[in-house]
Amino acid sequence: MDEDSNSQFFLETDEQGNWFLTIPMPISGIGADVIHKLTETDKLECHYFGKDYITKQIKQMQASPKQFKIVSWR
């Protein structure tokens, strides 16, 4: 698990090689993790653009969290 302490995100992989970008954020007053499963195109963009891609994706996740998987942790 990679974590960026300034942006508060986690980039994880599972046993099948899937990548997940996770950001903790409050949703309706409840702390939650918003999770985006990266596609093959997302992975390529992540490699090519690096932090800029991650920043862009985090902004999209924060703007419309319900378009992504939400896991409550409280």
Side-chain angles (χ1 to χ4, degrees):
M1 176 186 311
D2 295 326
E3 178 181 355
D4 183 307
S5 58
N6 295 329
S7 298
Q8 297 246 352
F9 73 85
F10 303 92
L11 188 58
E12 306 172 286
T13 57
D14 65 9
E15 306 82 39
Q16 291 81 32
N18 297 310
W19 291 18
F20 300 91
L21 176 62
T22 304
I23 59 170
M25 65 182 285
I27 297 176
S28 300
I30 298 173
D33 288 334
V34 178
I35 303 169
H36 171 54
K37 181 179 177 184
L38 278 67
T39 65
E40 291 300 319
T41 302
D42 291 333
K43 291 179 191 180
L44 291 172
E45 288 185 41
C46 188
H47 278 297
Y48 186 75
F49 295 109
K51 182 109 177 174
D52 291 338
Y53 171 79
I54 297 293
T55 301
K56 180 183 99 176
Q57 198 62 42
I58 287 172
K59 286 180 184 177
Q60 289 177 349
M61 293 168 75
Q62 290 171 332
S64 301
K66 292 184 180 181
Q67 291 182 351
F68 302 92
K69 181 177 179 181
I70 298 173
V71 179
S72 175
W73 48 265
R74 205 186 329 167

